[in-house]
Amino acid sequence: QVHLVESGGGSVQAGGSLRLSCAASGYTDGNYCLGWLRQAPGKEREGVAGIYRGYISTGTYYIDSVKGRFTISLDNAKKTLYLQMNSLKPEDTAMYYCAADSVPCSPASVQRFAYLGQGTQVTVSS
């Protein structure tokens, strides 16, 4: 059973930065996908960023609204996923969830990943 624990959320002013972390456990090394979802009050959950780690290749995905501002990365030795969020905007305010899935998977399909963490709140004030 894959277990995901997020941390790093908080409140920040517009233009600021936050880094989210997700400690992952319970999966065997190999090909897999990890990613970040978010859900704002009254809105549908959306996939923010995803990463595919394969034996010989990696791939990433970002929703258009965060391209150039957010960076997803993976420290495989620590089994920790990160989301560096820069130039934050009030519209980035949401509960952010870490997600994981095993192959076959695509980083662009993060909304359909099988495993989900408990979430961490990000609030950006104007």
Side-chain angles (χ1 to χ4, degrees):
Q1 180 72 22
V2 175
H3 190 52
L4 305 169
V5 179
E6 303 96 334
S7 61
S11 297
V12 65
Q13 289 191 327
S17 298
L18 284 172
R19 188 176 79 157
L20 305 183
S21 300
C22 172
S25 62
Y27 63 86
T28 57
D29 288 336
N31 296 358
Y32 52 86
C33 292
L34 293 165
W36 294 93
L37 304 164
R38 67 185 180 188
Q39 186 166 22
K43 294 187 177 181
E44 292 188 356
R45 189 172 293 175
E46 63 179 358
V48 176
I51 186 166
Y52 167 78
R53 182 188 178 276
Y55 286 112
I56 59 173
S57 67
T58 61
T60 57
Y61 160 82
Y62 296 95
I63 194 173
D64 284 346
S65 60
V66 308
K67 285 181 180 177
R69 300 189 298 122
F70 290 12
T71 302
I72 189 171
S73 62
L74 176 64
D75 185 330
N76 202 48
K78 296 181 180 179
K79 291 192 174 181
T80 300
L81 180 72
Y82 301 99
L83 185 68
Q84 178 65 45
M85 304 185 295
N86 298 328
S87 302
L88 282 162
K89 304 176 180 180
E91 51 263 43
D92 294 317
T93 295
M95 183 70 78
Y96 283 71
Y97 299 89
C98 179
D101 207 355
S102 54
V103 294
C105 60
S106 167
S109 300
V110 62
Q111 287 170 272
R112 295 191 290 273
F113 285 3
Y115 303 100
L116 205 63
Q118 83 288 352
T120 185
Q121 178 67 39
V122 171
T123 302
V124 185
S125 58
S126 57

